[in-house]
Amino acid sequence: MSHDMEKFHRLVQQFLNEHGDEFDSPIEAVNHFTEEYNKKIRTNAQFEETAEMQSLDKLEEALSTRSIKRQKKLLDEAITLWPENWDAQSTLIKLNTSDDEASLIENYAFLEKRARKHWSKHTDQAGYRNVEERPYLRLKATLGFLYMEAGMIDHALDHLTELYRMDKSDALGTRYKIITLYVRKFDWKNAWRFYQKVESADQEDQMLLPIIILAVLTDRQDLAKSLLKKLVDINSEIGYLFAGHMWPVDDLYDDDIVFADRYQPFTYQSLLISLRDILYVVMENSYLFDWLKKEVFNLIPDRRAEPRQNRLFSGIIDPNADGEVVGAGFRDSLRDDPSNPLRNISYERTRQLYIAGLKTYEDFSEITEKDVLGLKGVGPVTIKDLKNNGVKFRDS
């Protein structure tokens, strides 16, 4: 949710606190406030803002500027106006300690304790639907994710399971992190117990994929097969995970794919997001990959020969553009024949290599393997595929 929308919600809450008893129902009060709010917007009238609103404006301005010095100044001003602006406090911590993970976690943990005291004393503790609680809940989630990234699994579980209990709506999606944490601990008992407690878990690919993986790894193949059938039914793109001879490592490490501006549920992207949190569990496990690949293509045999990025397309394409259309030269670089060193390479990776001028065997012979690895989104799997295609790199 944008800060503007959250600011509007705070204005609504402020109006309800001050005038709610003047109306027959909260809905009537909200409708009245919305009408008055829209009138002021249309007439460019000034709102009488509290220190909290002014603090949120400072935060919004800080997030929109590129100057670190300016950002810190605005954040300091936001915190001075409203010391409980946890979003501003959190952002300032990131700016001041971004290169020191230990200090980052320590500072976040200290701030979370302060924010928790305020949350317990001054809110209804109703969860994320209460706009006043959102900054603290976001802060707690951030700390849990930091623990998770640092490999502090038990700390992460403590924070995220508590957060899950605090917010019944789970607006921040902590359930997906919790299930992957149990997978990383190989804790089948608690993973399965948690999975069964989550409403509609059977209809969420980011819940199903981790529990299936753990079922396979703990020798529960029959259950894994039944769960896999459910996953295939709700996400038809799962076959793309197994189009190659191993996990799509390059795609898993490509933030442009995993963390695209627009999240699309029940897609290849959502499956990659789920796998990112359990890479250490799955990456070197060829048995797991082979078992899942076999079972997936038993369920969707027609997808076996359908690589995700090399599907047919048409149109005039500019390989340097952000869009999905490319020119005849780029289309030619996707051809599947022995004279093409880029054959069977994913669309995104082929595009990066093409833009870098790497289109022929001669092009690759003039560059080192290390130089190719330096290209955006190109990783060890692409290098291996290129070598399998007969590419020879220049010696360092």
Side-chain angles (χ1 to χ4, degrees), residues 36-258:
E36 294 300 313
Y37 180 88
N38 288 333
K39 285 180 183 177
K40 289 186 177 182
I41 293 294
R42 288 194 296 269
T43 60
N44 293 319
Q46 294 296 314
F47 290 93
E48 185 177 340
E49 294 193 336
T50 63
E52 291 182 6
M53 298 301 114
Q54 294 172 28
S55 178
L56 288 174
D57 287 340
K58 294 287 185 181
L59 172 60
E60 186 73 20
E61 187 179 352
L63 294 175
S64 64
T65 185
R66 294 185 178 182
S67 168
I68 300 298
K69 183 178 180 180
R70 176 69 175 159
Q71 275 187 311
K72 290 182 178 180
K73 181 177 183 295
L74 289 166
L75 291 169
D76 283 332
E77 292 174 359
I79 294 166
T80 299
L81 284 165
W82 179 29
E84 288 75 36
N85 187 337
W86 308 122
D87 288 324
Q89 298 258 22
S90 175
T91 305
L92 190 58
I93 286 176
K94 287 180 183 177
L95 289 176
N96 288 332
T97 56
S98 59
D99 296 329
D100 183 349
E101 188 174 22
S103 295
L104 188 65
I105 290 175
E106 182 181 342
N107 291 334
Y108 262 104
F110 179 76
L111 181 62
E112 190 273 334
K113 288 180 180 178
R114 283 182 52 209
R116 184 187 181 87
K117 290 180 181 178
H118 185 272
W119 169 83
S120 63
K121 290 182 179 180
H122 301 286
T123 72
D124 295 331
Q125 300 177 32
Y128 206 78
R129 66 181 182 180
N130 184 355
V131 68
E132 295 177 345
E133 297 182 45
R134 292 176 187 176
Y136 167 65
L137 297 177
R138 285 194 289 263
L139 171 61
K140 189 169 184 64
T142 299
L143 178 59
F145 299 157
L146 284 172
Y147 280 135
M148 192 172 178
E149 292 169 7
M152 302 168 72
I153 306 302
D154 290 332
H155 278 71
L157 267 173
D158 287 345
H159 274 273
L160 296 181
T161 52
E162 184 178 37
L163 177 57
Y164 185 75
R165 290 193 296 270
M166 289 174 172
D167 178 27
K168 301 302 181 185
S169 70
D170 192 27
L172 298 173
T174 53
R175 61 191 179 280
Y176 305 132
K177 300 294 185 180
I178 292 169
I179 195 69
T180 58
L181 285 166
Y182 284 130
V183 172
R184 287 167 68 170
K185 286 170 66 74
F186 285 85
D187 186 347
W188 171 259
K189 181 179 178 181
N190 283 312
W192 184 241
R193 181 183 297 165
F194 179 72
Y195 178 87
Q196 291 181 305
K197 285 182 179 179
V198 174
E199 187 177 355
S200 302
D202 284 353
Q203 296 300 313
E204 296 192 73
D205 54 358
Q206 289 190 62
M207 291 296 294
L208 278 163
L209 183 56
I211 201 68
I212 290 167
I213 286 171
L214 189 56
V216 174
L217 295 178
T218 56
D219 202 26
R220 293 174 170 85
Q221 282 84 358
D222 289 341
L223 176 59
K225 289 179 183 179
S226 68
L227 293 172
L228 188 60
K229 174 65 167 63
K230 295 177 181 180
L231 179 56
V232 169
D233 287 342
I234 65 172
N235 192 331
S236 61
E237 296 195 358
I238 186 173
Y240 300 141
L241 285 179
F242 305 101
H245 57 277
M246 64 179 295
W247 298 103
V249 180
D250 285 347
D251 287 352
L252 282 163
Y253 281 104
D254 191 333
D255 288 350
D256 288 343
I257 299 175
V258 179

